[in-house]
């Protein structure tokens, strides 16, 4: 998987990725399942999290990736929620595209958390949150 762009909203997200063969379907199943479990717990949501299955739009020519990138980055602007893409309060790749391509995020290692379950000192989130570097790959064109 190669991640080129992303924008997340409260009820959906947009990704621009490159994948080989069936890797995209497996990745999307994994991502959506884990997002729904973790976010569902945080907001006390039970039942189906996503309204429908994901849809993938193949990018077939050299000009198409730039148009797809514009679409991903225009989220919030095209809906009239913000005036500029840089004002989007949600998770987006725009800071990475405008600055360093790498960015650190906190990844919550649930395996480490569950292994400490029941002990008196679970260490809080700091005990099982780990920094993870996410790199956005440049478009092939």
């Amino acid at each position: 998987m190669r991640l080129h762009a992303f924008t997340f909203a409260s009820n959906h997200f947009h990704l621009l990725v490159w994948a080989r063969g069936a890797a995209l379907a497996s990745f999307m199943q994994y991502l959506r399942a884990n997002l729904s479990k973790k976010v569902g717990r945080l907001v006390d949501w039970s039942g189906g999290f996503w309204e429908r299955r994901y849809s993938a739009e193949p990018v077939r020519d050299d000009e198409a990736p730039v148009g797809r990138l514009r679409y991903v980055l225009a989220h919030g602007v095209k809906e009239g929620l913000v005036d500029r893409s840089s004002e989007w309060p949600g998770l987006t790749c725009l800071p990475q595209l405008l600055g360093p391509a790498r960015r650190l995020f906190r990844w919550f290692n649930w395996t480490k958390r569950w292994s400490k379950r029941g002990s008196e000192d679970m260490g809080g989130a700091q005990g099982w949150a780990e920094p993870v570097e996410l790199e956005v790959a440049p478009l092939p064109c």
Side-chain angles (χ1 to χ4, degrees):
M1 296 292 306
R2 209 172 295 144
L3 177 64
H4 297 290
F6 59 88
T7 296
F8 284 78
S10 61
N11 62 351
H12 70 284
F13 58 90
H14 299 280
L15 303 177
L16 180 57
V17 298
W18 177 90
R20 185 177 305 234
L24 180 60
S26 298
F27 171 74
M28 291 304 295
Q29 179 183 12
Y30 177 82
L31 179 65
R32 289 168 50 98
N34 281 285
L35 279 174
S36 66
K37 285 179 201 170
K38 304 308 183 221
V39 174
R41 281 191 190 134
L42 289 173
V43 298
D44 197 27
W45 184 275
S46 61
F49 193 79
W50 305 106
E51 186 174 321
R52 56 181 176 245
R53 297 176 63 149
Y54 85 95
S55 64
E57 305 283 332
V59 179
R60 301 193 186 275
D61 57 49
D62 290 341
E63 292 83 34
V66 175
R68 303 294 174 152
L69 177 62
R70 283 189 182 118
Y71 180 82
V72 170
L73 295 178
H75 183 77
V77 175
K78 65 183 183 290
E79 292 85 1
L81 300 171
V82 293
D83 291 329
R84 291 187 301 245
S85 295
S86 60
E87 297 171 350
W88 182 246
L91 184 60
T92 178
C93 65
L94 189 59
Q96 288 166 271
L97 297 177
L98 297 175
R102 294 182 166 163
R103 204 162 137 200
L104 283 178
F105 291 92
R106 286 180 22 163
W107 176 66
F108 295 96
N109 186 333
W110 292 91
T111 303
K112 190 183 281 188
R113 179 178 186 250
W114 290 116
S115 69
K116 292 183 177 187
R117 185 177 45 175
S119 70
E120 287 184 28
D121 179 31
M122 285 186 55
Q126 303 312 321
W128 41 277
E130 302 171 1
V132 172
E133 192 173 327
L134 178 65
E135 185 174 358
V136 175
L139 291 175
C141 60

